[in-house]
Amino acid sequence: MDSCSECSLVVGADPPHQDPALKKLQGLQEMEGLSLANEDKTMSANLKYLSLGILVFQTTSLVLTMRYSRTLKEEGPRYLSSTAVVVAELLKIMACVLLVYKDSKCSLRALNRILHDEILNKPMETLKLAIPSGIYTLQNNLLYVALSNLDAATYQVTYQLKILTTALFSVSMLSKKLGVYQWLSLVILMTGVAFVQWPSDSQELDSKELSAGSQLVGLMAVLTACFSSGFAGVYFEKILKETKQSVWIRNIQLGFFGSIFGLMGVYIYDGELVSKNGFFQGYNQLTWIVVILQALGGLVIAAVIKYADNILKGFATSLSIILSTLISYFWLQDFVPTSVFFLGAILVITATFLYGYDPKPTGNPTKA
């Protein structure tokens, strides 16, 4: 074979007399490749909207059921929020272990090797998760305090201040640069939350006096949770970027330390009640629903980060705020919306969308 024919074969030039059957086979292969690509795009889109739908359901359901469970009047002792936090961490560990087991092709030997190599053999890497884990444990306990003293709608809107704290910690810890739209969204966000927290003139004076203390406690709990969420989230992101461990392994490590810190909190704050009435005092079906929803929270966020973008995540958050407001008004009947609240909620929802907005640069059209 001469060099010219070799060059023709290398560059893939068609021979002068190609078999029609071969051409047909190549065409079928190209069509099959396009079909597979379209299927992948469709599956990716389905996973994106499925993860966002689950996020809306999880966020809304958790806030409403937690609020309902903390205000429901029942005979006997109420369940302890400190024990609920511990149980949620244990369930999260179990869920992450199952996901690692699935990723290791359902092999117990491979699962044991991964857990041993990634956790036990890397004690310093594992210890890095102690700081965000302790902060997350504090945050989870504060959410119970907040929803025991604030209605679900006010809590949902005010808790969006975590966007502000996360942005500020990202700038200071990760050296991120915020665009004009993001800075503008933070200003709108603070304005909206201020409107939501504005005292309502429609409430009677005696009800104000009775709820003033609890409103202040709830507000302080939410604000502290926003700062802890912002710092812990950015710290966790920094760790994920510096190492190559999977998100599920990191969540197992978080859950391990979270369980330890949570048990310490149970012993310090509710030790006497636990020794008197037991660890699972006051637990019922509603309590277990709250615990399971809280355990799923971190896993749902991980799925959203993987499959969705910021704009769709903002849409899910906004939809959750609207649903929480409607259900809090019609079902829980512990919230009466005012025009000032609606203005603040609209500003917060606008800020949520604006913060995730990423304007695409428009290129100059080329002249022919």
Side-chain angles (χ1 to χ4, degrees), residues 214-287:
S214 60
Q215 287 279 338
L216 180 60
V217 170
L219 178 59
M220 294 304 297
V222 173
L223 293 179
T224 308
C226 288
F227 275 96
S228 62
S229 175
F231 177 79
V234 173
Y235 190 95
F236 187 46
E237 180 183 350
K238 185 177 182 180
I239 292 175
L240 287 176
K241 288 182 176 180
E242 292 176 350
T243 59
K244 296 182 179 180
Q245 287 182 315
S246 72
V247 176
W248 311 131
I249 292 293
R250 287 304 193 185
N251 273 283
I252 292 174
Q253 295 166 325
L254 280 175
F256 171 74
F257 287 112
S259 302
I260 294 176
F261 289 128
L263 287 172
M264 290 171 59
V266 172
Y267 177 77
I268 294 172
Y269 296 105
D270 298 318
E272 293 183 3
L273 292 175
V274 170
S275 61
K276 182 179 179 181
N277 298 315
F279 190 88
F280 294 101
Q281 59 179 287
Y283 274 59
N284 52 31
Q285 291 183 349
L286 182 61
T287 308

Side-chain angles (χ1 to χ4, degrees), residues 9-235:
L9 290 176
V10 169
V11 298
D14 291 335
H17 301 290
Q18 188 175 13
D19 188 359
L22 182 60
K23 281 187 176 182
K24 185 176 181 181
L25 179 60
Q26 289 177 346
L28 290 173
Q29 288 176 343
E30 290 177 359
M31 291 177 62
E32 185 178 355
L34 291 174
S35 177
L36 290 174
N38 291 331
E39 287 181 4
D40 289 340
K41 289 181 179 179
T42 304
M43 183 176 296
S44 177
N46 290 337
L47 287 173
K48 178 187 297 184
Y49 291 109
L50 177 63
S51 63
L52 287 170
I54 294 175
L55 176 62
V56 172
F57 173 78
Q58 186 271 338
T59 305
T60 308
S61 301
L62 175 61
V63 171
L64 294 172
T65 53
M66 189 182 291
R67 169 65 178 172
Y68 185 65
S69 68
R70 300 308 291 173
T71 56
L72 182 64
K73 295 181 180 180
E74 288 186 340
E75 296 182 358
R78 189 186 301 277
Y79 76 93
L80 302 174
S81 59
S82 59
T83 63
V85 170
V86 174
V87 177
E89 292 295 330
L90 294 175
L91 289 179
K92 185 172 72 174
I93 293 174
M94 293 172 58
C96 290
V97 169
L98 289 176
L99 289 170
V100 175
Y101 175 70
K102 178 180 176 295
D103 291 342
S104 59
K105 299 180 179 179
C106 299
S107 170
L108 288 175
R109 182 176 297 179
L111 172 65
N112 182 61
R113 186 182 68 253
I114 291 173
L115 296 178
H116 191 272
D117 292 344
E118 297 295 331
I119 298 177
L120 296 179
N121 286 352
K122 297 179 180 179
M124 296 308 297
E125 291 294 324
T126 301
L127 282 173
K128 289 181 179 179
L129 274 297
I131 294 177
S133 178
I135 297 174
Y136 277 133
T137 304
L138 172 65
Q139 173 190 333
N140 290 333
N141 280 281
L142 287 172
L143 297 187
Y144 281 96
V145 176
L147 282 166
S148 297
N149 296 279
L150 292 175
D151 60 82
T154 303
Y155 161 81
Q156 274 278 65
V157 178
T158 308
Y159 193 46
Q160 298 314 306
L161 273 177
K162 63 183 179 181
I163 298 175
L164 170 65
T165 59
T166 302
L168 296 179
F169 282 119
S170 296
V171 171
S172 60
M173 295 173 62
L174 299 178
S175 300
K176 284 189 175 180
K177 293 183 178 180
L178 301 182
V180 176
Y181 288 103
Q182 291 175 313
W183 283 115
L184 178 61
S185 71
L186 296 180
V187 175
I188 297 174
L189 177 68
M190 289 187 292
T191 306
V193 172
F195 277 129
V196 168
Q197 293 296 331
W198 198 266
S200 173
D201 294 333
S202 62
Q203 295 177 337
E204 297 181 0
L205 182 60
D206 55 351
S207 62
K208 279 186 178 181
E209 292 175 352
L210 289 174
S211 62
S214 60
Q215 287 279 338
L216 180 60
V217 170
L219 178 59
M220 294 304 297
V222 173
L223 293 179
T224 308
C226 288
F227 275 96
S228 62
S229 175
F231 177 79
V234 173
Y235 190 95

